[in-house]
Amino acid sequence: MVRWRPRPLLVDAALAVVVTALVVLGSLGESYPSNPDDVVAGLVVPPWPAYLLAGAAAAVLVWRRRRPVTVWAISLALVVLYTIPGYVNGSALIAPVLAVYTVTTLGRARRALLLAGITVVVLMGSTILFSPFGFGGPVTVIPFEVAVALAAGLAVASRRAYVAEIADRAEQAERTREEEARRRVDAERLRIARELHDVVAHTMATISVQAAAAAHVLKDPPPEAATALAAIRAASKDGLVELRAILRLLRTEGEADPRHPTPGLAQLATLAERTRQAGVPVTLRLPTPLPELPAATELVAYRIVQESLTNTVKHAGRARATVTVDTRDGHLELTVLDDGIGCTAPETDGHGLLGMRERAASVRGSVEAGPDPAGGFRVHARLPLPGGAR
């Protein structure tokens, strides 16, 4: 819900109107006291243009945020001009005092202290010299008014600085989290790319070997077939060389080439057994026989199940997991369901789910994950089969 906030200029305009009215009405009351005891010797009743002078000292407050020091100087000068003819300036003092408060909230502390000192000296000096009250009346309250304005302004400035620091820290923390998230996503994508390159390199090597074997076993092949086999072997060798060069760039320093087969559905039984040894009973439901899949799809399916079971071990507590693999409507369906406490906000607890989605997207698949209505946590992946085969 967005709260409506008035513009600062409107607020300052409303404040200027109110203060101007108070200054003018207060000055009229000081010029025509209703109590005869308040009449002092030498009281000068100002003409009506003089009230405009006092009102102008308050009206300039409408620009107090845009030009705080300028507004302070103008307001102070107008009040002094109103005081010099001998008029009572008690109400007019409100304007420069508010200007001191504004300068303090928006400016530096040293500058605020300097302007507050100048305000006290100038107002007290002009009031003592020209006011009919002399050392009495408004002179006695000027230091207290300015001190209150200065203290209030420093408190507001300190509060604003504190809030700004908190907001800046929150923004920096958010930027750090975003950078860390991007770093982890990039690292996960790089790992996926390395594994997929391994799969493609293995396929290219198989093509090269099979082409060489075909050329060797065929007796007196037609010239066209011999030429095609030689072209296949040469292209696969060249592609394999390029892939190995790319893999050397993708691998980190000291990382060796893989010496084990690319994991797939056939290795899910071993994965389930390792998860049982970690304390989570796993029920594995696989079709018989296992479907024939491209190596890339096999790898993605294995990694999604692996990450899902890892999350179950980490977050589900005392739970049991069920892994179901099926083929339906031209897709390989993977479902990993546990009955533990789950993780209500998995995206905030690492980037495992994001890695699953990246892997599924690499073979044009999709992953859905979230709390199961019956309890626990559920991960469901759909990976397309080649040619929509069942």
Side-chain angles (χ1 to χ4, degrees):
M1 181 178 179
V2 180
R3 295 183 178 180
W4 179 81
R5 293 183 177 180
R7 295 183 179 180
L9 184 60
L10 295 178
V11 175
D12 293 340
L15 176 65
V17 170
V18 173
V19 175
T20 301
L22 292 176
V23 168
V24 173
L25 293 177
S27 299
L28 286 171
E30 291 168 347
S31 302
Y32 302 96
S34 57
N35 189 351
D37 297 334
D38 295 336
V39 179
V40 296
L43 179 64
V44 180
V45 177
W48 68 265
Y51 298 118
L52 297 179
L53 191 66
V60 294
L61 292 174
V62 70
W63 296 285
R64 67 190 186 100
R65 297 183 205 240
R66 297 184 177 183
R67 299 287 186 271
V69 177
T70 303
V71 168
W72 165 82
I74 294 174
S75 180
L76 181 63
L78 292 176
V79 171
V80 171
L81 291 177
Y82 179 80
T83 305
I84 289 175
Y87 310 141
V88 180
N89 61 357
S91 299
L93 298 176
I94 298 176
V97 169
L98 283 177
V100 170
Y101 165 79
T102 302
V103 171
T104 307
T105 59
L106 301 179
R108 296 181 294 272
R110 290 184 178 179
R111 184 179 68 177
L113 290 172
L114 175 62
L115 298 186
I118 294 175
T119 302
V120 172
V121 172
V122 171
L123 290 181
M124 289 189 67
S126 61
T127 303
I128 292 172
L129 291 176
F130 303 106
S131 173
F133 291 97
F135 285 94
V139 174
T140 58
V141 299
I142 290 175
F144 298 101
E145 289 180 348
V146 176
V148 169
L150 183 64
L154 290 175
V156 171
S158 177
R159 174 66 179 176
R160 289 176 179 173
Y162 174 75
V163 172
E165 182 180 1
I166 295 297
D168 184 62
R169 288 182 180 178
E171 184 178 353
Q172 290 181 356
E174 182 64 24
R175 284 199 300 266
T176 302
R177 284 194 295 270
E178 291 177 355
E179 291 174 359
E180 178 66 15
R182 284 195 296 268
R183 186 190 67 79
R184 292 190 179 185
V185 169
D186 292 341
E188 184 66 19
R189 287 177 175 173
L190 182 60
R191 189 160 68 96
I192 294 171
R194 289 202 301 263
E195 292 183 347
L196 291 179
H197 276 79
D198 288 335
V199 172
V200 176
H202 175 73
T203 303
M204 295 289 289
T206 303
I207 293 173
S208 177
V209 171
Q210 293 295 332
H216 179 72
V217 299
L218 286 177
K219 295 181 179 181
D220 195 18
E224 294 82 359
T227 303
L229 288 174
I232 292 173
R233 187 178 181 186
S236 59
K237 279 187 175 181
D238 293 341
L240 188 58
V241 171
E242 294 177 1
L243 277 174
R244 284 174 176 171
I246 295 174
L247 284 173
R248 282 194 294 271
L249 294 176
L250 290 176
R251 297 195 189 282
T252 56
E253 184 177 356
E255 184 180 3
D257 291 337
R259 299 298 180 183
H260 51 79
T262 302
L265 298 182
Q267 284 74 39
L268 289 181
T270 304
L271 177 62
E273 183 59 31
R274 287 203 302 266
T275 307
R276 294 187 190 103
Q277 294 174 1
V280 176
V282 177
T283 301
L284 192 60
R285 298 172 181 172
L286 299 176
T288 304
L290 292 175
E292 294 289 338
L293 300 174
T297 305
E298 289 253 5
L299 175 62
V300 170
Y302 178 88
R303 292 303 187 199
I304 290 175
V305 175
Q306 182 185 42
E307 184 64 35
S308 300
L309 292 178
T310 300
N311 287 341
T312 300
V313 173
K314 288 182 179 179
H315 305 298
R318 298 175 61 87
R320 294 170 298 179
T322 301
V323 178
T324 304
V325 179
D326 196 5
T327 55
R328 185 182 303 119
D329 298 330
H331 287 80
L332 180 70
E333 304 274 349
L334 300 172
T335 303
V336 181
L337 176 64
D338 67 67
D339 58 359
I341 59 176
C343 182
T344 56
E347 291 294 349
T348 62
D349 190 27
H351 298 270
L353 296 183
L354 185 57
M356 294 185 207
R357 295 189 177 102
E358 291 285 341
R359 289 184 179 277
S362 68
V363 293
R364 294 177 289 111
S366 62
V367 172
E368 296 178 356
D372 189 72
F377 198 79
R378 180 177 181 270
V379 176
H380 180 72
R382 282 173 54 87
L383 308 178
L385 296 175
R390 294 184 177 276

